[in-house]
Amino acid sequence: MQTDKKTLFSAAQPSGLVTLGNYLGAIKNWVALQDEYNCIYSIADLHCLTVRREPKELRAKSLELLALYIACGVDPEKSCLFLQSHVPAHAELTWILNTLTYPGELSRMTQFKDKSLKHADNVNMGLMDYPVLMAADILLYGAEVVPIGVDQKQHLEITRDLAIRFNNRYSETFVVPEPIIPKVGAKIMSLQDPAHKMSKSDPNENSYIAILDDEDTVIRKFKRAVTDSDNSIAFSDDKPGISNLLTIYSAITGETIAAAEERFAGKGYGEFKIAVGEVVASALAPIRKRTAELLSDKAYLDEIMKKGAEQASYFANKTLSKVYRKVGLYSPERKK
Ligand code: AQP
């Protein structure tokens, strides 16, 4: 990692099938940012435990997500890639930040409220503390920027609040990070219910495109996508289904939404949905192929995550020692 560049941190959870929303809202942009920033990309496996998981599946998904990052174009030679649980400083800094966090600010987080409803039988402290762990992830590396989708904006705000609160209480320590939110694709909506975001934990598999879906599945899901009552292909608030499909088309092809509207002017919804399906399927095909190749070489993936954890630990432990000293935790090696 080069230290003359600004530092960027981002992460995704190995919580299921990574969706087109995760790809367009986050991972696709990570690739483009690798030359400009000193990039640290984590697999947020500790965050995953906030919802009940099958342990065997969580392990498999963690490895798959690492393969997927690389298959999407994240280069382990340029960026640091590691599993969150391999760097204990994440959990340790969370504890310190917890002592500066108020229950009220966590209980009003939109994601906490949504997930509490979705997992009513398991509203645990980890679910509520999710944003504090996310703050620790970011603050450990002095990240100046954090690429995220719109859904994580509120959590980045709390990260900034905690950094400022700590700095005010104990003197300047943390960098206060800024979000990077993509202009197009920051909130990809469900294909079945465009009022809600596309989410990998949605029980209806027609609602999301998984990055590893094959071509026929991608096209079939787009054919079934919910559209609107009239028949014009135009971006507008009262046409959430078509607007979502135009956003996906634009984010994948790089064509502006206005140009896409022009391209499909006068065409029927059926034809449009197939066209969106085809561009998405052809963008995802090489990623799917490369992910499978990478997953057949587990030793290579293990090496990358070990190297990444070493690199990440070096920076994380430096920050953690500073934090421990500032809050007054005694260490025998220290003079004062
Ligand atoms: N629908 C989306 N559109 C754009 N960006 C999105 N992101 C998530 N959904 C969309 C962005 O993807 C990154 C990684 O997200 P995550 O894995 O941490 O989990 P999440 O935000 O909770 O995403 P999911 O798919 O909804 O997972 P589950 O269902 O497990 O909770 C983040 O930058 C996020 O903004």
Side-chain angles (χ1 to χ4, degrees):
M1 282 201 297
Q2 294 181 18
T3 44
D4 54 333
K5 294 177 180 173
K6 281 189 175 176
T7 299
L8 174 155
F9 178 92
S10 201
Q13 297 183 72
S15 54
L17 300 161
V18 174
T19 69
L20 186 64
N22 301 132
Y23 177 63
L24 296 177
I27 304 172
K28 184 167 183 272
N29 307 304
W30 296 1
V31 178
L33 294 161
Q34 286 182 110
D35 292 321
E36 198 181 332
Y37 294 95
N38 192 18
C39 294
I40 302 174
Y41 295 127
S42 181
I43 291 159
D45 52 352
L46 293 176
H47 274 103
C48 264
L49 299 175
T50 56
V51 168
R52 273 193 204 111
R53 310 269 169 209
E54 182 55 50
K56 202 170 146 200
E57 195 184 314
L58 175 57
R59 269 191 290 275
K61 288 287 167 209
S62 299
L63 198 70
E64 184 182 284
L65 188 55
L66 176 65
L68 206 130
Y69 281 1
I70 301 170
C72 287
V74 178
D75 180 352
E77 294 300 319
K78 288 185 189 163
S79 302
C80 173
L81 300 179
F82 72 102
L83 258 67
Q84 187 185 31
S85 62
H86 292 180
V87 181
H90 289 250
E92 294 172 271
L93 182 59
T94 301
W95 178 254
I96 302 293
L97 295 177
N98 271 336
T99 66
L100 296 170
T101 312
Y102 307 111
E105 55 190 342
L106 296 180
S107 62
R108 63 168 181 264
M109 292 286 114
T110 307
Q111 181 179 288
F112 173 66
K113 288 195 250 174
D114 288 351
K115 291 211 166 169
S116 299
L117 288 176
K118 254 192 204 166
H119 306 279
D121 58 337
N122 182 27
V123 183
N124 60 77
M125 285 307 295
L127 194 61
M128 190 162 158
D129 210 29
Y130 182 112
V132 184
L133 178 56
M134 179 166 156
D137 296 341
I138 297 165
L139 300 179
L140 276 175
Y141 301 98
E144 278 103 339
V145 290
V146 184
I148 43 166
V150 164
D151 62 318
Q152 293 294 339
K153 215 173 141 195
Q154 213 181 22
H155 291 169
L156 197 82
E157 275 306 315
I158 209 169
T159 300
R160 290 169 54 85
D161 291 347
L162 287 172
I164 294 168
R165 203 172 293 166
F166 187 98
N167 290 349
N168 288 341
R169 170 83 176 79
Y170 295 107
S171 83
E172 206 58 34
T173 308
F174 292 126
V175 173
V176 182
E178 295 288 340
I180 298 184
I181 297 177
K183 286 195 183 73
V184 180
K187 193 167 186 187
I188 301 297
M189 309 311 278
S190 157
L191 297 184
Q192 291 300 311
D193 176 6
H196 289 102
K197 76 159 190 161
M198 184 180 285
S199 187
K200 51 175 122 68
S201 58
D202 196 318
N204 180 354
E205 60 177 39
N206 285 320
S207 72
Y208 59 80
I209 301 293
I211 299 196
L212 299 180
D213 277 347
D214 63 34
E215 191 169 354
D216 289 348
T217 308
V218 171
I219 293 177
R220 178 174 39 81
K221 286 183 181 177
F222 275 106
K223 275 187 184 166
R224 290 185 183 165
V226 167
T227 46
D228 315 289
S229 50
D230 70 10
N231 212 26
S232 73
I233 297 166
F235 192 97
S236 99
D237 286 349
D238 59 353
K239 294 171 69 67
I242 288 296
S243 300
N244 189 37
L245 296 183
L246 278 167
T247 301
I248 293 172
Y249 186 88
S250 165
I252 285 279
T253 59
E255 196 169 300
T256 62
I257 289 191
E261 282 174 329
E262 216 170 292
R263 174 185 295 278
F264 293 105
K267 304 257 163 71
Y269 281 173
E271 194 179 336
F272 173 56
K273 289 200 276 188
I274 292 173
V276 181
E278 281 170 350
V279 291
V280 171
S282 62
L284 298 186
I287 297 176
R288 197 175 68 245
K289 184 164 169 272
R290 184 78 186 115
T291 304
E293 285 164 7
L294 286 160
L295 281 171
S296 68
D297 191 354
K298 187 172 166 295
Y300 169 72
L301 295 174
D302 281 352
E303 252 338 286
I304 288 180
M305 68 170 86
K306 268 199 254 170
K307 188 180 130 211
E310 270 169 34
Q311 282 180 330
S313 294
Y314 172 77
F315 292 102
N317 290 338
K318 258 170 74 167
T319 306
L320 191 69
S321 300
K322 200 160 140 194
V323 167
Y324 275 11
R325 180 169 48 80
K326 294 220 179 178
V327 300
L329 300 182
Y330 178 79
S331 161
E333 295 113 53
R334 267 184 231 125
K335 296 219 168 60
K336 50 178 186 170

